[in-house]
Amino acid sequence: MRTCGLIRAVRAVEAPCARRQLPRLPFLARSSASRPGLQRGAPPVDRTSPGPSSELCVQGLASAWSSAHLPRVGFLSPSVSWAVWKMPKRALKEEAAEKGEQQAEPAPKKTKRGGGKAADGAVKDGDAAAAAAAFEDTPDKLLTEDGKKSDLKITSWNVDGLRAWVKKNSLEWVSTESPDILCLQEIKCTEKQLPAEVKDMPEYPHQYWSSSQEKEGYSGVGMLCKMKPLDVTFGIGVEEHDNEGRVITAEFNKYFLVTVYVPNSGRGLVRLDYRKTWDVDFLAYLKGLESKKPVILCGDLNVAHQEIDLKNYKTNKKSAGFTVEERQGFGNVLADGFIDSYRHLYPDARHAYTFWTYMGNCRVKNVGWRLDYFVLSKTLLPHLCDSKIRCKALGSDHCPITLFMAM
């Protein structure tokens, strides 16, 4: 039936083509001799400016094709006198099967994550549900290995814009989680622009904020405490790094708490050299603190340390957040006596991510990166109870993480 329809479509346009002496569409010709303009000795046809008559010919074929209920044909623009025959994919596969060939799977589209982080949203639908269900936030461990009970709870969250985050009812989650200290990154506002809902939280009377001095609506960190720190400082004492509002350090009786939003290497790795300088200077700052008291570091470190820490590691080796240089920078922190608390407790946990780009429905598919960390001085390990990824908490392209310590 489909063949008969094709014959009717061909005949519907043969007559106008012949009257206008226009070149026939390639798949209409039974032989090269039947194509006007291609016969031996015939004058060449101007294919660059076919004019409206050729357009009518193509439109006639389209109408006849549609009336015959045949597969759609992709036509070129009216300025071109030839139409393109597009064989249905099923026909291609059938033809390949007849020849004993194997159809190659289409390559996944590569997309980019904001700030140089690849989206990698192209995953098979069959894998999506399995990936999303592969990670589950297990019950909190509230005791250390030797049985000490947790008495310190710290939550860290890159909010990707504090004002927008508040509008997404994220404070309700904070009230339920009820950490002793809440550390926020990428607040993207000055202290004067803080939402009243945040400033007036009675459970957090001690609040400290640092925002970018160079660019409005960029970077910025905050620390909200139920108990008052002994001292609070801003930055790391290096002018080159301290104008973007990236670090707050609070001193408590038995430890320093540092919250940080580490610089992103940027799209095209335009800030990779700066990032390498930052990594060296920031490690020196941490070691200086540790010489006085143990350190708890939390925040968005903008690096997936190992292949297990992101979904599509093979295609992201030159992406910001997974370059050799950035991974080595974080490796140097661990080699110098600090511990990645989550990997210490869950060394083989897969699909444990804290960031998902908004593109490609990545969060539903759990195509993500683990960029947010609690890093501890090694001497604090006996005090560690648990390190959690709260992957179900919405409100940002990052999810919060929570640390339980027995201090």
Side-chain angles (χ1 to χ4, degrees):
M1 295 297 293
R2 184 168 288 186
T3 303
C4 294
L6 175 60
I7 293 172
R8 289 198 299 271
V10 169
R11 287 176 179 172
V13 294
E14 276 184 336
C17 283
R19 286 196 301 271
R20 303 281 184 179
Q21 292 191 348
L22 297 172
R24 294 184 183 182
L25 300 170
F27 50 83
L28 300 182
R30 297 182 179 85
S31 68
S32 61
S34 66
R35 304 185 203 175
L38 295 180
Q39 299 176 21
R40 184 173 297 176
V45 177
D46 181 6
R47 305 184 194 279
T48 61
S49 302
S53 56
S54 179
E55 179 182 354
L56 290 173
C57 174
V58 172
Q59 290 175 349
L61 176 59
S63 177
W65 199 270
S66 176
S67 64
H69 303 291
L70 295 174
R72 294 186 62 184
V73 178
F75 290 95
L76 298 181
S77 63
S79 64
V80 182
S81 63
W82 302 96
V84 179
W85 164 249
K86 186 175 182 180
M87 183 180 291
K89 291 182 180 179
R90 184 172 62 184
L92 286 172
K93 292 180 179 179
E94 291 172 356
E95 181 179 342
E98 290 176 2
K99 296 180 181 179
E101 299 172 354
Q102 184 176 0
Q103 278 292 105
E105 289 292 328
K109 294 181 180 179
K110 294 182 180 179
T111 53
K112 290 186 178 179
R113 157 190 193 264
K117 301 169 185 174
D120 300 318
V123 297
K124 295 180 180 179
D125 291 339
D127 297 337
F135 178 78
E136 194 68 33
D137 189 11
T138 57
D140 301 337
K141 302 174 185 176
L142 301 180
L143 299 175
T144 63
E145 290 185 357
D146 59 359
K148 295 178 183 177
K149 188 176 180 180
S150 171
D151 57 6
L152 175 64
K153 184 177 184 180
I154 306 172
T155 292
S156 175
W157 198 347
N158 179 320
V159 296
D160 190 30
L162 184 66
R163 289 167 289 185
W165 175 78
V166 168
K167 292 177 182 178
K168 296 174 184 177
N169 298 320
S170 300
L171 290 178
E172 294 180 7
W173 184 91
V174 172
S175 296
T176 301
E177 183 78 353
S178 189
D180 298 306
I181 305 172
L182 175 65
C183 297
L184 305 174
Q185 303 88 41
E186 206 172 359
I187 61 172
K188 297 183 179 179
C189 66
T190 64
E191 191 166 356
K192 293 181 180 179
Q193 297 171 325
L194 291 173
E197 298 93 324
V198 175
K199 290 192 296 183
D200 298 337
M201 294 179 74
E203 59 267 49
Y204 297 106
H206 310 289
Q207 300 186 10
Y208 309 93
W209 305 94
S210 179
S211 56
S212 173
Q213 301 175 25
E214 297 181 342
K215 190 188 302 182
E216 188 174 344
Y218 174 74
S219 187
V221 291
M223 184 182 294
L224 295 79
C225 307
K226 291 182 177 180
M227 70 286 273
K228 187 176 181 180
L230 300 176
D231 189 29
V232 175
T233 59
F234 303 88
I236 63 174
V238 179
E239 185 177 356
E240 179 184 6
H241 305 310
D242 288 348
N243 293 325
E244 294 186 354
R246 295 190 176 274
V247 178
I248 297 176
T249 302
E251 181 181 359
F252 294 92
N253 288 330
K254 298 180 179 180
Y255 61 93
F256 285 104
L257 174 62
V258 180
T259 187
V260 62
Y261 176 46
V262 170
N264 192 300
S265 292
R267 217 172 271 245
L269 304 179
V270 294
R271 296 193 85 189
L272 181 58
D273 288 340
Y274 171 71
R275 169 64 179 271
K276 291 190 290 184
T277 301
W278 162 278
D279 285 346
V280 172
D281 293 341
F282 188 59
L283 176 55
Y285 173 72
L286 294 178
K287 293 301 291 183
L289 292 176
E290 195 181 40
S291 66
K292 304 171 186 176
K293 290 180 182 180
V295 174
I296 300 174
L297 167 66
C298 69
D300 178 0
L301 304 191
N302 258 318
V303 62
H305 182 223
Q306 300 172 337
E307 292 177 353
I308 195 175
D309 294 319
L310 72 164
K311 172 66 176 179
N312 292 325
Y313 63 88
K314 291 182 180 179
T315 57
N316 279 293
K317 293 184 178 179
K318 294 184 180 180
S319 298
F322 198 59
T323 62
V324 172
E325 293 87 349
E326 291 163 307
R327 295 168 66 192
Q328 183 60 52
F330 186 64
N332 292 340
V333 173
L334 302 183
D336 224 333
F338 292 92
I339 302 296
D340 175 354
S341 63
Y342 184 81
R343 279 291 167 228
H344 175 79
L345 295 172
Y346 307 99
D348 301 318
R350 305 189 65 83
H351 311 294
Y353 309 129
T354 65
F355 167 86
W356 305 262
T357 178
Y358 290 122
M359 297 182 290
N361 210 21
C362 282
R363 186 150 191 177
V364 172
K365 299 173 183 178
N366 199 23
V367 180
W369 301 54
R370 189 170 73 97
L371 302 178
D372 303 84
Y373 297 77
F374 278 105
V375 176
L376 312 176
S377 294
K378 191 173 293 185
T379 55
L380 288 176
L381 273 183
H383 303 274
L384 175 62
C385 296
D386 209 350
S387 186
K388 308 299 297 181
I389 294 176
R390 304 302 202 199
C391 59
K392 294 182 180 179
L394 305 178
S396 170
D397 51 359
H398 292 248
C399 74
I401 56 176
T402 294
L403 180 74
F404 292 92
M405 301 286 289
M407 298 303 295

